[in-house]
Amino acid sequence: MAEPEPSSPRRSDSVFTRPPRGRRSQPALTRDRIVAGTIALLDREGSAALTMRRVAAELGVHATSLYWYVARREDLVDLAVDGILAEAAAGLPGPEEPWDLAVRTTARRFYAALTAHAWAAEFAGVRPLLGPNALALSRRIVAALGDSGGGEEAQAVAIRALANQILGAATTTVAMRVGAAAGGGTEDARAAAVSAADALAVENAYFDQVIDLLLAGIRARSAG
Amino acid sequence: MAEPEPSSPRRSDSVFTRPPRGRRSQPALTRDRIVAGTIALLDREGSAALTMRRVAAELGVHATSLYWYVARREDLVDLAVDGILAEAAAGLPGPEEPWDLAVRTTARRFYAALTAHAWAAEFAGVRPLLGPNALALSRRIVAALGDSGGGEEAQAVAIRALANQILGAATTTVAMRVGAAAGGGTEDARAAAVSAADALAVENAYFDQVIDLLLAGIRARSAG
DNA sequence: ACCTGAACACCGTTCAAGT
DNA sequence: ACCTGAACACCGTTCAAGT
């Protein structure tokens, strides 16, 4: 549906500069194209759609072709999750920001990216987040806690607590959305229903409060 | 392997007492037997082994027979997870226990059950925990927070924070175990390796500290 | 170098049929 | 009431083959 026909050699800019180009045109597939296609498919059809065959179909190619670029299905998962974290990892708070504000905005961006793509929150609970964007987000929080006034041990505990909180909050948020959608047929649920925009605002407000609770604990500890 | 032959009518005790027993013996399958078999299989072979066909094989029956007792695979997941939470939900702290101690021991039991069965932590991140044992654990924490001195809003935030923390901590703990096992071949990892008992003690200590951090935040808030 | 095609050993689930 | 058997529409992954 409206997909640029896969065999078209529309390669844009660098086609005139780098490659030998005499014998053969560039490959139809690239890792980036695969990641983009995977994310598009997941956004459209949800986590269950992540199969080698359907990703391949999204790209106008056969499932087995993907194995030239990734070793297994899990790699596709990891690449897609880290892909949607790019938005969150770009434009992190600078080093001049107060530590607690830096923690809060970084955590919020992390959480927002995971919940903006429900499939990402689902996968994040089952795969470790080790991609470059996830690491950049983690490192910003680690750096912020270095200014929190606590000792090394206290910082290590705080880091874990924040990581658990971000992941747990994202996971339970999307689980609650599913539950709300599934129960949406009942009268009670319908009576309690609010607009999607309001629901999102409520979710975000809860997340901020939960992070603030943790920050209060960190401050209480470093003051003690 | 060493399975009691499935067609044997060894029904134990109550065979002499209750059922009509004239026309037909009891069913080979029961929901409880299915849950027990599923847990045994998962403990032995991990989360990937949870397929209808393999659970059925574990019980000496055909995959399609399971559909008489459960509607779909997800039900098996939910039943197994709540099944292993039974140990945690039995013997919760009584109402005379101080609220913070009650929160800590209940959270610890919850976390311990999920991490004692790695598959349960994996599934818990992807399925909402709505079984009777999960609800009993949640309710004990809710009740404890009622004595924490905070307002209703503060309690609601604290409940979410604790739930996120328990789920997030269990998930990241098993993910780190997998990572440690996968990297176990490298020299660095081998040098840093500790005995399984020590590793478990470290995990548990971290969990306690993380919960204590949250409790410190709750106290700071209710005191403010 | 990069992609296809056939093949293997699986899946969940439905449904008619047996007893 | 409870279980089997056949069938459908899928899976991930390997590997030889094409270009």
Side-chain angles (χ1 to χ4, degrees), chain A residues 15 41 72 75 97 108 125 128 190 195-197:
Chain A
V15 74
L41 175 66
R72 51 190 168 289
D75 294 348
E97 202 82 7
R108 196 190 287 170
R190 185 164 299 172
S195 81

Side-chain angles (χ1 to χ4, degrees), chain A residues 27-29 61-62 64-65 68-69:
Chain A
L29 246 37
V61 98
H62 287 224
T64 50
S65 306
W68 187 259
Y69 297 89

Side-chain angles (χ1 to χ4, degrees), chain B residues 27-29 61-62 64-65 68-69:
Chain B
L29 247 38
V61 100
H62 287 224
T64 50
S65 306
W68 187 259
Y69 297 89

Side-chain angles (χ1 to χ4, degrees), chain B residues 3-9 11 28 33 59-61:
Chain B
E3 68 179 20
E5 64 272 25
S7 49
S8 114
R11 241 17 119 227
R33 255 178 63 79
L59 297 163
V61 100

